[in-house]
Amino acid sequence: MRPELEPFTTLLDLRTGLLEPVREAVERRLSHMAGAYLEQSEGLGDPVIYRVYGFPVPPTNANVVCSTTVIEPGTVGREYFMTKGHFHEVRDRAEVYLGLAGQGRLLLATEDGRHVVEPIRAGTVNYVPGGWAHRSVNVGDEALVFFAAYVGDAGHDYGTIEQRGFPVLLVSGERGPEVVENPRYLA
Amino acid sequence: MRPELEPFTTLLDLRTGLLEPVREAVERRLSHMAGAYLEQSEGLGDPVIYRVYGFPVPPTNANVVCSTTVIEPGTVGREYFMTKGHFHEVRDRAEVYLGLAGQGRLLLATEDGRHVVEPIRAGTVNYVPGGWAHRSVNVGDEALVFFAAYVGDAGHDYGTIEQRGFPVLLVSGERGPEVVENPRYLA
């Protein structure tokens, strides 16, 4: 076959997650996190919660879409800064995370309400199999940075999580992060 | 959908490439590199050229297969230690490399004889589009370590490279790595 794309190389700062050159960037502020937080966010202003830096390749099942995510440290009430979380639109598509810096948790949930919590830190490789919604949570005092790769035609379904939430929340407790039931979860 | 796989986490040493636990490991010695080197390898014994540590997931187009590769430093004549190199059996499937340690080159070639050379070092993200054969080469004095991810149904075609070779070779020159034509390349 004659290739449709040319090879390219981007530089990733393994501690900060920044790319050189920046090709695609998405910024999520608190005001973009509708329904994600149980607790009130009044008085916090509209801080950046996380940024995603992407590598634009065609969204087909021949390609691997990759990105780095940088989640700022912080809380909204007792809940940590985190990503919106999503299922893949094509449900069976998998994703892999490689942790680069910081201290985090990967929260995974199935449509029938099961959940799993995995660690994210420098050197963790998390496998997110098809069918598992995934949200990453910064439970530390520094930025949480990870690299992600998924099959290009996976797509994002944010709506299901916006409506139903995750079965559990990650909150800041007296002895560190605690996993608690989400009282607003729609089973 | 009900997921077929459970999430899992593996620990990757970002400097050495070693996994904990090791799930799959492939070791390639010089004796496995039939036809890869132009120069004579007599007197070198049978050193380990590289190892690949994998994460076993089903080889389907829903999954992302990932691995870390550790290429030892060394040369066979003037040619550096390197991987066998391959096209994907499903030609249009892409792959992404994240460099973790060492100094290397990614050699890419199309079936019609074009070639590209990209750098690999800590923080490089190399995109290998569909249709490009790829071989990684350690041009430094330390182990070259990188993380790779590809669409699970890509498969490996080593035979085409074993027969035809790459259009160019990477050799150790007086002022460092040099890209030279491969006199045995079958165009």
Side-chain angles (χ1 to χ4, degrees), chain A residues 1-3 5-12 14 55 57 61-64 66 91-94 96 98-99 108 110-112 114 118-119 121-127 129-132 147 149-151, chain B residues 1-3 5-12 14 55 57 61-64 66 91-94 96 98-99 108 110-112 114 118-119 121-127 129-132 147 149-151:
Chain A
M1 64 170 280
R2 290 182 72 88
L5 297 178
E6 295 294 304
F8 63 85
T9 297
T10 298
L11 294 180
L12 162 61
L14 296 172
F55 303 78
V57 294
N61 75 329
N63 283 292
V64 181
C66 42
R91 278 290 189 274
D92 73 350
R93 297 304 196 246
V96 62
L98 172 56
L108 302 116
T110 60
E111 288 181 285
D112 58 6
R114 293 169 58 213
E118 297 281 332
R121 62 177 185 274
T124 51
V125 180
N126 311 115
Y127 201 77
W132 290 87
F147 176 84
Y150 59 88
V151 183
Chain B
M1 66 170 280
R2 289 183 73 86
L5 297 177
E6 295 295 304
F8 63 85
T9 297
T10 297
L11 294 180
L12 162 61
L14 296 172
F55 303 79
V57 294
N61 74 330
N63 283 291
V64 181
C66 41
R91 278 290 189 274
D92 72 349
R93 296 306 196 244
V96 63
L98 173 57
L108 302 117
T110 61
E111 288 181 286
D112 59 5
R114 294 169 58 213
E118 297 281 331
R121 61 178 186 273
T124 52
V125 180
N126 311 115
Y127 200 76
W132 290 87
F147 177 83
Y150 58 88
V151 183

Side-chain angles (χ1 to χ4, degrees), chain B:
Chain B
M1 66 170 280
R2 289 183 73 86
E4 290 171 19
L5 297 177
E6 295 295 304
F8 63 85
T9 297
T10 297
L11 294 180
L12 162 61
D13 186 313
L14 296 172
R15 289 166 308 162
T16 65
L18 297 185
L19 299 182
E20 175 63 40
V22 174
R23 298 168 191 268
E24 278 182 351
V26 173
E27 186 175 85
R28 302 279 195 200
R29 292 181 173 271
L30 183 54
S31 57
H32 301 135
M33 304 287 291
Y37 286 107
L38 185 64
E39 306 198 31
Q40 294 295 320
S41 61
E42 288 165 19
L44 290 180
D46 194 20
V48 171
I49 306 291
Y50 65 102
R51 295 186 177 92
V52 180
Y53 302 98
F55 303 79
V57 294
T60 72
N61 74 330
N63 283 291
V64 181
V65 174
C66 41
S67 61
T68 59
T69 300
V70 180
I71 308 179
E72 297 297 322
T75 55
V76 176
R78 293 174 65 211
E79 293 179 74
Y80 296 103
F81 283 11
M82 61 189 183
T83 61
K84 290 163 74 81
H86 60 267
F87 284 96
H88 287 156
E89 206 169 309
V90 182
R91 278 290 189 274
D92 72 349
R93 296 306 196 244
E95 183 158 354
V96 63
Y97 281 11
L98 173 57
L100 297 175
Q103 295 290 332
R105 298 288 185 276
L106 175 58
L107 180 54
L108 302 117
T110 61
E111 288 181 286
D112 59 5
R114 294 169 58 213
H115 77 272
V116 170
V117 181
E118 297 281 331
I120 306 178
R121 61 178 186 273
T124 52
V125 180
N126 311 115
Y127 200 76
V128 180
W132 290 87
H134 38 291
R135 158 178 286 170
S136 36
V137 183
N138 185 348
V139 302
D141 299 325
E142 312 280 340
L144 177 68
V145 182
F146 59 88
F147 177 83
Y150 58 88
V151 183
D153 66 348
H156 295 81
D157 166 13
Y158 291 105
T160 300
I161 295 298
E162 282 174 11
Q163 289 168 26
R164 299 183 55 192
F166 273 77
V168 294
L169 305 174
L170 261 160
V171 301
S172 173
E174 287 183 11
R175 288 183 298 274
E178 291 175 8
V179 179
V180 299
E181 276 190 35
N182 178 1
R184 286 202 307 201
Y185 176 62
L186 296 180

Side-chain angles (χ1 to χ4, degrees), chain A:
Chain A
M1 64 170 280
R2 290 182 72 88
E4 292 172 17
L5 297 178
E6 295 294 304
F8 63 85
T9 297
T10 298
L11 294 180
L12 162 61
D13 185 313
L14 296 172
R15 289 166 308 162
T16 65
L18 297 185
L19 298 182
E20 176 64 38
V22 174
R23 298 168 191 268
E24 278 182 352
V26 172
E27 185 174 87
R28 302 281 195 199
R29 292 181 174 270
L30 184 54
S31 56
H32 302 134
M33 303 289 290
Y37 286 107
L38 185 63
E39 305 199 33
Q40 295 295 319
S41 61
E42 287 166 19
L44 290 180
D46 193 20
V48 171
I49 306 291
Y50 65 102
R51 295 186 177 91
V52 180
Y53 302 99
F55 303 78
V57 294
T60 72
N61 75 329
N63 283 292
V64 181
V65 175
C66 42
S67 61
T68 60
T69 300
V70 180
I71 308 179
E72 298 297 323
T75 55
V76 176
R78 293 174 66 211
E79 293 179 75
Y80 296 104
F81 283 12
M82 61 189 183
T83 61
K84 290 164 74 80
H86 59 268
F87 284 96
H88 287 155
E89 205 170 311
V90 182
R91 278 290 189 274
D92 73 350
R93 297 304 196 246
E95 183 158 354
V96 62
Y97 282 11
L98 172 56
L100 297 175
Q103 296 290 333
R105 298 288 185 277
L106 174 58
L107 181 54
L108 302 116
T110 60
E111 288 181 285
D112 58 6
R114 293 169 58 213
H115 77 272
V116 170
V117 181
E118 297 281 332
I120 305 178
R121 62 177 185 274
T124 51
V125 180
N126 311 115
Y127 201 77
V128 180
W132 290 87
H134 39 291
R135 159 178 286 169
S136 35
V137 183
N138 186 347
V139 302
D141 299 325
E142 312 281 339
L144 177 68
V145 182
F146 59 89
F147 176 84
Y150 59 88
V151 183
D153 66 348
H156 295 81
D157 166 14
Y158 290 105
T160 299
I161 294 298
E162 283 175 9
Q163 289 167 27
R164 299 183 55 191
F166 273 78
V168 294
L169 306 174
L170 261 160
V171 301
S172 173
E174 288 183 10
R175 287 184 297 274
E178 290 175 9
V179 178
V180 298
E181 276 190 34
N182 178 0
R184 285 202 307 202
Y185 177 62
L186 296 180

